[in-house]
Amino acid sequence: MTTITLAHLSKRFTQSDDAAKSINVLDNLSLKIASGDVLAILGPSGSGKSTLLRLVAGLIPPDAGEILFDNVDLQQIPVTERGIGMVFQDGALMPHWEARKTVGFFMSLRKREHEVPARVARIAQITGIGINHLLDRRPAHLSGGERQRVGIARALTRDPRVFLFDEPFSNLDAKLRASGRVELKRLLSEFPVTSIYVTHDQIEAVALAHRIAVMRDGHFEQVDTYQDLYNNPVNLFVATFIGTPTINLFTGTVHNHRWTGTTFGGFPLRADLDENTPVTLGVRPERFTIHNGGAAIRIASVMPYYAERFALCEVRSTAGEAFQVSVPLEILPQAGDTLHVVPNVDALLYFDPATGRRIG
Ligand code: ADP
Ligand code: MG
């Protein structure tokens, strides 16, 4: 089993021939992934996720910093001994090979081809899905989901030290994405290979990974469990990026050592903030309580989530602020209704509006 360490990793790309126009696509990334753990890299498109994965795969060199597998610099490990299983967005299968050859390729290189059928059978057993019927087909005759299964089987049959996934399910429809996620989760718990899973989908990240690195513009904003990212975001970017429906933000200021806004106010906050300091308050939609003494809100629209037993309501306060509140379905909220709500005091998140940093 392998520990992965990224130490002060940076990568620049030159946009044209002019070196001055080069941009830092990755900027001083440091991180350690324990042996057998799955780390998700979660970030918007263009944040540098694929570039980071290509560096860890050894496909491109860093400009600064190191990648260590078990404390050995990747550059010092011969390519044949790196043991990297990579799964790409589009499967990246050889177009003219039958799946059988793709799946067995690395084993045949090592004269261990005879082990492939048992491996494939084991994968089929764990996922509950046979791929034998796919093995005689070429990629053109496989659906998107089938191609990804073959890609994952290929990566697994080569006995990887490290597994790298680059949005493997993003080209699939929602249902296939969900089942692919479940199959992969089973495989990863059965073959605990140290893995990096790149995605822009937080449902995938929380389902598959032990920890999540939130990436933006080539750097990590926060590396934590989903629960900590959700409850304790370090800044406004993480707070708004993590969580669907999105967190509500209210502008306000400090008055008598209390947060005071337009709709709500009088909430305790850090004692060292000066009077009139601007502070943004974040409250997630499900962290409101219906309460007679609360602020009056009028429901503009209702979006029911039947499985989760709540309705997401777009509301407007008497003071004119628009936000979202999750209301239990039993209350039968209707557009036009008026409710009274208060945010839960233990769920208030305060941010400095100038820097975005969390301040309480
Ligand atoms: P993500 O996978 O998060 O969408 P990428 O790692 O693909 O992001 O890209 C990050 C940034 O680096 C983007 O701005 C992209 O345009 C740029 N980039 C990626 N590869 C190259 C390259 N070979 N040359 C120049 N710029 C690149
Ligand atoms: Mg990408």
Side-chain angles (χ1 to χ4, degrees):
M1 297 262 267
T2 303
T3 303
I4 303 175
T5 309
L6 315 180
H8 306 290
L9 209 54
S10 292
K11 182 72 189 173
R12 299 178 74 79
F13 281 126
T14 319
Q15 295 305 59
S16 57
D17 293 337
D18 184 358
K21 283 200 185 129
S22 74
I23 51 159
N24 255 343
V25 171
L26 300 179
D27 190 13
N28 196 18
L29 298 181
S30 293
L31 180 76
K32 203 169 179 122
I33 310 169
S35 182
D37 267 9
V38 181
L39 175 89
I41 309 273
L42 182 66
S45 177
S47 54
K49 306 183 297 295
S50 294
T51 304
L52 174 58
L53 218 56
R54 287 164 67 210
L55 284 173
V56 178
L59 299 173
I60 50 171
D63 291 323
E66 321 173 285
I67 298 150
L68 308 173
F69 284 6
D70 285 336
N71 300 321
V72 180
D73 190 329
L74 185 62
Q75 309 286 330
Q76 312 299 323
I77 307 174
V79 174
T80 50
E81 282 166 37
R82 289 179 186 169
I84 292 163
M86 192 148 176
V87 182
F88 298 90
Q89 189 168 340
D90 55 4
L93 305 178
M94 298 296 274
H96 51 282
W97 285 8
E98 290 92 41
R100 187 184 307 282
K101 185 165 175 187
T102 295
V103 169
F105 178 63
F106 292 103
M107 289 309 235
S108 65
L109 278 185
R110 291 192 250 161
K111 308 273 179 256
R112 286 167 60 190
E113 218 163 1
H114 57 280
E115 293 177 31
V116 171
R119 274 257 161 174
V120 169
R122 185 90 183 95
I123 293 167
Q125 188 190 6
I126 295 164
T127 57
I129 288 171
I131 62 164
N132 274 320
H133 63 291
L134 307 178
L135 294 181
D136 296 321
R137 301 194 208 160
R138 292 180 183 182
H141 299 279
L142 297 170
S143 71
E146 290 168 340
R147 245 175 267 160
Q148 288 314 67
R149 277 190 198 120
V150 171
I152 290 167
R154 167 182 60 181
L156 265 176
T157 44
R158 68 177 304 192
D159 253 340
R161 293 173 72 184
V162 166
F163 235 158
L164 304 175
F165 299 91
D166 196 353
E167 314 217 23
F169 302 132
S170 65
N171 287 345
L172 307 184
D173 66 44
K175 211 163 181 144
L176 276 175
R177 236 179 7 245
S179 59
R181 198 154 68 216
V182 173
E183 290 166 34
L184 184 58
K185 176 98 187 170
R186 275 192 229 136
L187 283 170
L188 287 174
S189 58
E190 202 69 16
F191 300 104
V193 176
T194 315
S195 303
I196 302 181
Y197 191 100
V198 161
T199 179
H200 62 269
D201 178 348
Q202 48 185 300
I203 299 175
E204 266 182 18
V206 65
L208 292 166
H210 299 94
R211 281 189 312 157
I212 298 170
V214 177
M215 199 164 175
R216 175 200 197 183
D217 294 341
H219 63 268
F220 295 144
E221 294 277 332
Q222 189 171 356
V223 184
D224 249 320
T225 62
Y226 187 81
Q227 192 178 351
D228 280 333
L229 294 173
Y230 193 84
N231 293 325
N232 278 312
V234 297
N235 58 30
L236 276 172
F237 179 82
V238 176
T240 50
F241 191 68
I242 296 290
T244 14
T246 312
I247 193 168
N248 297 297
L249 300 176
F250 301 95
T251 54
T253 48
V254 178
H255 275 300
N256 296 323
H257 303 294
R258 298 200 158 244
W259 183 88
T260 308
T262 311
T263 303
F264 304 104
F267 303 140
L269 83 178
R270 245 168 56 181
D272 62 334
L273 296 172
D274 293 335
E275 182 78 3
N276 292 323
T277 304
V279 175
T280 298
L281 169 66
V283 186
R284 298 205 178 273
E286 73 279 13
R287 305 310 291 271
F288 289 91
T289 303
I290 296 173
H291 186 279
N292 281 339
I297 54 168
R298 191 178 156 84
I299 299 177
S301 73
V302 178
M303 221 188 314
Y305 287 71
Y306 290 106
E308 290 87 356
R309 307 295 308 151
F310 74 86
L312 183 66
C313 298
E314 299 273 344
V315 306
R316 188 176 284 275
S317 67
T318 316
E321 276 183 311
F323 53 101
Q324 296 187 313
V325 179
S326 297
V327 175
L329 275 185
E330 293 71 46
I331 290 178
L332 298 175
Q334 305 287 324
D337 286 356
T338 296
L339 294 174
H340 291 83
V341 296
V342 286
N344 303 343
V345 176
D346 63 350
L348 305 177
L349 301 172
Y350 295 114
F351 302 91
D352 177 342
T355 63
R357 264 202 297 275
R358 177 91 178 279
I359 52 170

